[in-house]
Amino acid sequence: MATNNKTSSLTTPGIVAAVENAETLGKPESSDEPVAKRARLEDCKEETVTTTDESQQDALITSTVGLRRFKRIPIFIVDYHNDVLEFIYRCLASRHLPLENNTLLHFDSHPDMVISREIPASAAYDKETMLGELSIENWIMPACYAGHFNRVIWMKNSWCKQMPVGKYNFKVGHRGNKISVDCPLDYFIPEGNYCETSELEQARDLELQVLNNDAERPPDPKLILAADDCLNYILDIDLDFFSTSNPFLEIYEDANCYEQLSEIFHFESATESNASGTTEKRKQQLEVLKRIFEHLEEKRTFQDMTKPDTNIVSEETFKKIENLADSLQKCYADDEIDWLVIFDSGSTTDTNGLPHHISTDAELELYYQQFKQFLIQLPHPPVLITMACSAEDDYCPRNQVNCIQERVVKILQEVFQEKVHEKPILHYMDDEWDVMQFDTIHSFVGDCDRVQGTAKQVSQGYKFSEWVDH
């Protein structure tokens, strides 16, 4: 994989800007930023120790100074996985997590690392945009781009094939205000998210580790989580880790829709040498397929449709789309056919598709034991625990989700005992919560001058806690 000398441009001035605007999170300094503002922030940086302005002193505390710690680890449970960001952002704002370089320990049947091409990279620092626009499949990478995570450990079972097991060190940045990576895995290519390292701006290092928790030789947490990671990691669990369904398999099942879509949306895997070309070709293919399906949704017929460029969508593939339409029209009334939903379904097929493994009771017991054994060996408890039920979107079977949730919470309580909060926050039941109301201890790290500044922050309610709605 190509490398260059680009590094993160998040500096103390970037953090100052974030504190000044409660809707942002440590936005990197941009070359487009007005010179006067950059100069003002640089002046603030030079006054880190000597300034008598308490607001400046508050703003200049680095991401490793003045962290709060929960006395008991909170468990935050949502249904849609992207909703865990709300709690994570609050913990960043309240200083229970440092602004940068956290680790996400992610138990899931899906990586959730798709990068939306519809959301500009600059929006990664806008809380409201992130909470409003992100979805279950794409909530992690904007937080990596913003620097909140510099390491993601995806724990899966062997029936999940979206990414091969391994460790991947790569860069995440933006190209043309779209978040992109220089990692040539097939996972990042279908949506056009790969580019050459030299094309990335504001690039950061990111480590992704993919592990099978059901491997014959189970992964050892003490070898996975280094001492630095242990201080600032989130234990994140999707209940579909234990049993998952692919809801798209049932889309227009009588017409064998999903299987036909798998052939229509197929693309050849990339190699590192041709990743850029494959990415560009795949972007063009998806754009043309989207236009075809949008035409069918609007016109309900192929009439007046301009045939696509055969270099992008071959005649053979176009014929398969016509055959799919014939199959659907034979099995369903026209007003039952939603071509946009069908396009979305096809977009999930990629090279390996979504996993579908509805676990038996015996398998569930095995997965529970493997999960518990992993937690027991953790070198240090997490800062917080987030959990997604994934029932409303049908990724965790509805007839199993309640039992799985009950069992997983019980395992967490057995492993962490008095360290974990006795009552989970049920976001999907509209439980009220406020991170500033949890019992908290304060951990001061740094030189004496900065520690004194941090103590003032604690007594005054650190500026960044304005992000937490009271």
Side-chain angles (χ1 to χ4, degrees):
M1 186 179 301
T3 60
N4 68 2
N5 294 322
K6 286 189 177 181
T7 57
S8 166
S9 59
L10 181 57
T11 61
T12 301
I15 298 175
V16 176
V19 177
E20 288 178 337
N21 181 357
E23 295 302 317
T24 61
L25 272 179
K27 186 174 181 179
E29 197 174 355
S30 167
S31 59
D32 297 326
E33 188 178 12
V35 173
K37 183 175 182 181
R38 291 207 303 274
R40 176 172 61 83
L41 293 176
E42 190 61 34
D43 290 342
C44 291
K45 180 180 177 183
E46 293 172 358
E47 295 176 5
T48 299
V49 177
T50 60
T51 180
T52 58
D53 187 320
E54 290 183 357
S55 64
Q56 284 186 350
Q57 191 175 43
D58 288 350
L60 291 166
I61 299 299
T62 68
S63 62
T64 59
V65 176
L67 290 179
R68 295 181 170 97
R69 290 294 182 197
F70 295 113
K71 286 184 179 178
R72 304 182 77 176
I73 303 165
I75 304 174
F76 188 74
I77 306 180
V78 302
D79 194 88
Y80 295 99
H81 207 156
N82 52 293
D83 287 338
V84 303
L85 272 181
E86 182 178 354
F87 193 70
I88 292 171
Y89 281 165
R90 300 287 181 95
C91 291
L92 289 166
S94 64
R95 305 293 296 174
H96 288 91
L97 287 169
L99 193 63
E100 300 177 88
N101 299 336
N102 298 287
T103 293
L104 184 68
L105 180 57
H106 178 59
F107 284 82
D108 201 323
S109 284
H110 311 88
D112 296 350
M113 297 180 74
V114 169
I115 303 172
S116 172
R117 308 311 293 169
E118 306 301 320
I119 304 175
S122 54
Y125 310 102
D126 184 332
K127 177 192 69 172
E128 298 304 327
T129 298
M130 290 296 96
L131 296 182
E133 299 296 330
L134 292 177
S135 188
I136 57 173
E137 77 283 358
N138 61 21
W139 63 274
I140 292 178
M141 289 303 290
C144 296
Y145 170 76
H148 308 317
F149 301 128
N150 70 336
R151 191 166 181 229
V152 177
I153 304 167
W154 179 33
M155 302 296 300
K156 66 184 186 71
N157 287 306
S158 54
W159 28 269
C160 302
K161 304 293 187 183
Q162 301 96 311
M163 293 182 187
V165 168
K167 182 184 288 188
Y168 307 94
N169 291 285
F170 56 96
K171 293 186 181 295
V172 54
H174 76 85
R175 179 180 63 167
N177 204 22
K178 300 294 183 183
I179 297 176
S180 301
V181 296
D182 65 356
C183 180
L185 284 173
D186 279 345
Y187 182 85
F188 294 113
I189 286 177
E191 303 295 330
N193 299 321
Y194 170 84
C195 70
E196 297 288 343
T197 311
S198 58
E199 299 177 277
L200 288 173
E201 297 183 56
Q202 295 179 338
R204 300 178 179 275
D205 292 322
L206 178 63
E207 180 181 297
L208 168 63
Q209 194 162 3
V210 182
L211 296 163
N212 284 336
N213 201 49
D214 63 347
E216 185 175 345
R217 178 179 292 181
D220 184 348
K222 293 186 289 295
L223 299 179
I224 298 168
L225 286 168
D228 291 343
D229 297 323
C230 290
L231 298 177
N232 306 306
Y233 80 91
I234 297 168
L235 174 58
D236 176 69
I237 308 153
D238 195 314
L239 299 186
D240 72 15
F241 169 81
F242 300 92
S243 181
T244 192
S245 62
N246 178 354
F248 294 105
L249 291 177
E250 299 179 1
I251 295 290
Y252 303 108
E253 191 174 11
D254 292 345
N256 198 23
C257 182
Y258 193 76
E259 186 174 329
Q260 294 190 66
L261 287 171
S262 298
E263 297 181 6
I264 292 168
F265 281 78
H266 175 75
F267 78 102
E268 295 298 327
S269 296
T271 63
E272 190 165 349
S273 61
N274 70 358
S276 292
T278 303
T279 299
E280 190 58 37
K281 186 174 180 180
R282 178 61 168 173
K283 283 170 61 178
Q284 293 175 355
Q285 180 194 31
L286 289 175
E287 287 169 1
V288 172
L289 288 173
K290 187 175 184 180
R291 286 199 296 269
I292 293 171
F293 284 77
E294 286 175 340
H295 177 95
L296 291 172
E297 176 64 19
E298 181 182 357
K299 305 294 185 181
R300 319 304 294 180
T301 176
F302 286 93
Q303 189 174 351
D304 299 327
M305 180 185 292
T306 303
K307 286 279 188 80
D309 184 339
T310 55
N311 291 319
I312 300 174
V313 173
S314 67
E315 291 184 10
E316 180 185 3
T317 298
F318 190 79
K319 181 63 178 175
K320 289 177 180 178
I321 299 172
E322 293 177 323
N323 292 339
L324 172 61
D326 289 340
S327 301
L328 290 166
Q329 289 162 359
K330 288 176 183 177
C331 299
Y332 300 93
D334 185 67
D335 61 0
E336 294 180 298
I337 302 172
D338 187 327
W339 284 102
L340 300 183
V341 169
I342 293 169
F343 173 80
D344 289 340
S345 302
S347 298
T348 69
T349 59
D350 296 336
T351 50
N352 294 313
L354 297 173
H356 184 77
H357 182 98
I358 299 178
S359 302
T360 64
D361 290 345
E363 287 175 322
L364 282 172
E365 285 300 321
L366 175 62
Y367 299 143
Y368 293 145
Q369 292 305 314
Q370 291 169 337
F371 175 69
K372 183 176 182 178
Q373 190 60 33
F374 185 96
L375 297 187
I376 289 172
Q377 297 179 77
L378 284 169
H380 194 279
V383 175
L384 58 113
I385 299 169
T386 54
M387 189 185 304
C389 298
S390 295
E392 290 299 317
D393 51 29
D394 294 322
Y395 284 101
C396 187
R398 296 194 186 204
N399 64 328
Q400 294 180 320
V401 66
N402 289 336
C403 293
I404 295 174
Q405 178 181 322
E406 182 179 341
R407 187 66 178 275
V408 171
V409 170
K410 183 180 179 182
I411 289 171
L412 293 171
Q413 292 170 339
E414 289 172 348
V415 172
F416 298 117
Q417 299 182 17
E418 73 281 355
K419 292 187 178 74
V420 73
H421 207 282
E422 70 277 5
K423 185 180 183 299
I425 302 164
L426 304 181
H427 175 273
Y428 63 89
M429 295 293 289
D430 296 325
D431 279 1
E432 293 185 2
W433 57 276
D434 187 339
V435 296
M436 302 302 288
Q437 301 304 316
F438 285 108
D439 290 336
T440 301
I441 58 179
H442 304 292
S443 173
F444 301 126
V445 183
D447 60 63
C448 291
D449 289 335
R450 291 194 174 189
V451 168
Q452 289 172 3
T454 305
K456 291 178 181 178
Q457 288 182 326
V458 172
S459 64
Q460 296 169 357
Y462 180 46
K463 259 187 166 183
F464 231 170
S465 67
E466 293 172 9
W467 237 46
V468 182
D469 299 331
H470 294 288

